[in-house]
């Protein structure tokens, strides 16, 4: 039998207000909770087990709703343990800072820090902010948006520490428009990486733009992007810098999920195939072995990062907006023999194929007799 690691469970959210814990290995939705109602569509999620005092980082999670509420839920029961109100509707970022503080950002540029027993502290980072991204293990956040250049802020002082410059004009001396849709920090959290390497990686940032560009910045080197790479003809909606400190995964509005190498100016080195709709979220598991994507075709897919092979996909019925890998308590196990873990849809598809092939054989026989 073929031995391979079992992908962890995946927590997904959708634009109707439902949460689903998906067992991708068994191709089924393990459980679902939440309530479908107007204004309860989920825009973002983040783990909050550290803040909630759980036994693991994924015991609780935050979710930002379309109506401006932020809910803290238990993953095991789905119950809401806390809720907060953002400054306005439209979430641009959500994160757990530490065991005492949570962070949220809105699309009109307001960042709030929630601390239990205290009033939320607020500061302004822009006007049309599409993304607010927290860098784990530090006190820095990065922001960007529509005509909002990349900026880095210190949460301790609430002051701007870095502001990028736009790339140089084109050959006709025309200015490139600025529209950042997503941001990701390079954070090398592997056990073999030194503290100095982790600090260096925290200054390296990758952005995705609505003008189908992926850009790489080093805040210690220069204000302009180190490199800018165009991808296809569609907006790059989601970008993720993997924990190896080298690889970038970018997903666009046509479902293209590409692997880029940051060492060679963002050269495309591979593609994750099988997606049929615009990418809404990309996530990496704790071990660094698996990658999950959600898209507007209503599927969640899990890939092996090394081989870029799609291990499985699960249909969710609703359009998923975000996904998070849960901690895998079981580690590795034997892969089920082929044919023993088929879903109803697999059985129906095989029966249909048999019917079609038998019809073709009969038609060939009839043609030969003539």
């Amino acid at each position: 039998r073929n031995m391979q690691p079992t992908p962890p469970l995946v927590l997904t959210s959708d634009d109707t207000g439902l949460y689903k814990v998906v067992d991708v290995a068994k191709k089924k939705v393990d459980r679902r909770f939440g309530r479908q109602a107007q204004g309860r569509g989920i825009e973002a999620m983040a783990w909050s087990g550290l803040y909630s005092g759980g036994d693991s980082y994924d015991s609780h999670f935050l979710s930002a709703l379309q109506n401006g509420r932020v809910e803290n839920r238990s993953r095991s029961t789905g119950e809401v343990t806390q809720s907060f109100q953002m400054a306005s509707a439209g979430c641009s970022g959500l994160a757990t800072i530490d065991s005492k503080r949570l962070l949220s950002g809105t699309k009109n540029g307001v960042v709030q820090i929630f601390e239990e027993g205290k009033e939320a502290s607020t500061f302004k980072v822009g006007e049309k902010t599409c993304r607010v991204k927290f860098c784990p293990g530090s006190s820095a956040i990065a922001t960007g948006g529509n005509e909002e250049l990349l900026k880095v802020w210190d949460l301790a002082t609430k002051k701007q520490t870095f502001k990028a410059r736009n790339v140089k004009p084109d050959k006709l001396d025309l200015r490139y428009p600025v529209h950042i849709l997503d941001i990701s920090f390079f954070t090398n959290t592997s056990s073999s990486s030194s503290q100095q390497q982790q600090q260096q990686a925290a200054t390296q940032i990758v952005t995705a733009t609505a003008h189908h560009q992926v850009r790489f910045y080093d805040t210690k080197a220069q204000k302009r992007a180190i490199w800018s790479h165009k991808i296809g003809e569609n907006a790059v909606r989601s970008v993720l810098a993997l924990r190896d400190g080298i690889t970038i995964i970018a997903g666009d509005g046509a479902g293209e999920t590409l692997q880029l190498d940051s060492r060679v100016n963002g050269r495309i080195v591979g593609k994750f195939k099988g997606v049929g709709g615009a990418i809404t979220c990309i996530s990496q598991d704790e071990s660094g072995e698996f990658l999950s994507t959600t898209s507007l075709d209503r599927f969640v897919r899990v890939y092996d990062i090394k081989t870029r092979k799609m291990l499985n996909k699960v249909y969710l019925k609703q359009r998923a907006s975000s996904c998070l890998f849960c901690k895998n308590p079981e580690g590795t196990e034997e892969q089920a023999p082929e044919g023993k873990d088929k879903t109803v849809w697999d059985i129906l598809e095989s029966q249909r194929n048999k019917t079609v092939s038998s019809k073709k054989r009969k038609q060939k026989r009839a043609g030969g007799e003539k």
Side-chain angles (χ1 to χ4, degrees):
R1 292 182 181 181
N2 185 21
M3 300 285 289
Q4 74 174 29
T6 301
L9 300 177
V10 181
L11 174 67
T12 67
S13 62
D14 59 51
D15 55 6
T16 69
L18 292 179
Y19 307 91
K20 300 181 180 75
V21 179
V22 183
D23 190 337
V24 181
K26 296 180 180 178
K27 295 182 71 173
K28 69 173 186 178
V29 176
D30 197 42
R31 63 183 180 276
R32 57 173 58 86
F33 47 89
R35 179 167 58 90
Q36 291 176 300
Q38 187 175 4
R40 289 194 61 83
I42 299 113
E43 295 181 326
M45 289 197 304
W47 290 123
S48 61
L50 177 65
Y51 172 82
S52 305
D55 53 356
S56 65
Y57 71 89
D58 64 340
S59 63
H60 293 73
F61 65 94
L62 298 171
S63 58
L65 309 184
Q66 291 173 350
N67 59 14
R69 296 293 295 177
V70 175
E71 295 180 342
N72 190 19
R73 288 179 177 264
S74 167
R75 180 173 67 88
S76 58
T77 64
E79 294 181 357
V80 178
T81 58
Q82 278 180 309
S83 65
F84 311 92
Q85 183 65 44
M86 292 192 295
S88 63
C91 179
S92 60
L94 200 60
T96 300
I97 301 173
D98 51 36
S99 60
K100 296 182 180 180
R101 296 178 298 165
L102 305 174
L103 177 140
S104 74
T106 64
K107 290 185 177 179
N108 60 4
V110 177
V111 172
Q112 290 177 285
I113 300 174
F114 300 99
E115 189 170 352
E116 192 172 359
K118 296 183 180 179
E119 290 188 7
S121 60
T122 304
F123 65 101
K124 191 84 170 175
V125 296
E127 295 297 332
K128 298 179 181 179
T129 306
C130 297
R131 182 63 66 211
V132 173
K133 190 72 174 182
F134 172 68
C135 180
S138 73
S139 62
I141 61 169
T143 64
N146 188 6
E147 292 304 326
E148 292 281 350
L149 289 163
L150 175 68
K151 300 174 187 175
V152 178
W153 304 76
D154 188 350
L155 292 178
T157 61
K158 299 182 176 60
K159 292 183 178 179
Q160 179 183 306
T161 59
F162 172 83
K163 182 179 179 180
R165 293 181 64 187
N166 198 3
V167 294
K168 294 180 180 179
D170 62 12
K171 294 179 181 179
L172 299 176
D173 203 29
L174 296 175
R175 172 186 175 274
Y176 281 103
V178 177
H179 196 167
I180 296 174
L181 294 181
D182 200 10
I183 301 171
S184 184
F185 279 93
F186 271 105
T187 52
N188 192 344
T189 57
S190 63
S191 57
S192 60
S193 61
S194 65
Q195 185 177 1
Q196 184 178 1
Q197 287 176 326
Q198 293 181 19
Q199 290 175 353
Q200 182 180 1
T203 66
Q204 298 174 351
I205 306 169
V206 59
T207 65
T209 76
H211 305 286
H212 51 93
Q213 297 146 340
V214 175
R215 289 173 178 161
F216 175 79
Y217 294 85
D218 190 336
T219 59
K220 286 188 175 181
Q222 61 186 49
K223 291 190 175 182
R224 279 200 171 103
I226 302 295
W227 53 259
S228 179
H229 190 82
K230 284 191 175 182
I231 296 178
E233 298 297 330
N234 299 282
V236 184
R237 295 167 57 101
S238 186
V239 68
L240 177 67
L242 300 189
R243 296 191 187 95
D244 61 4
I246 297 169
T247 309
I248 298 168
I249 309 296
D252 69 9
E256 294 283 330
T257 309
L258 304 173
Q259 180 177 336
L260 290 75
D261 192 329
S262 63
R263 298 170 297 181
V264 284
N265 296 335
R267 187 178 68 188
I268 297 173
V269 296
K271 179 179 177 181
F272 295 85
K273 298 180 180 180
V275 183
I279 302 296
T280 56
C281 186
I282 303 173
S283 178
Q284 184 185 18
D285 78 314
E286 187 184 23
S287 69
E289 296 181 36
F290 303 105
L291 187 82
S292 68
T293 65
T294 52
S295 55
L296 294 185
D297 64 359
R298 303 168 193 249
F299 278 94
V300 57
R301 294 173 173 85
V302 173
Y303 298 87
D304 185 304
I305 292 178
K306 288 184 180 179
T307 63
R308 294 190 290 274
K309 178 183 177 183
M310 185 171 68
L311 302 177
N312 251 332
K313 64 178 181 179
V314 179
Y315 185 64
L316 301 174
K317 295 185 180 180
Q318 287 82 20
R319 292 182 297 182
S321 56
S322 56
C323 60
L324 295 171
F325 270 111
C326 306
K327 202 171 184 179
N328 190 3
E330 299 177 1
T332 60
E333 62 181 37
E334 292 186 4
Q335 185 182 20
E338 187 177 352
K340 286 194 175 182
D341 192 22
K342 289 186 176 181
T343 63
V344 175
W345 303 112
D346 294 331
I347 295 170
L348 290 174
E349 182 67 19
S350 62
Q351 289 176 350
R352 189 186 72 83
N353 292 336
K354 288 178 183 178
T355 305
V356 171
S357 60
S358 63
K359 285 182 179 180
K360 287 182 178 179
R361 284 196 299 268
K362 287 179 181 179
Q363 288 173 358
K364 284 182 180 179
R365 288 172 187 171
E369 291 175 357
K370 289 179 181 178

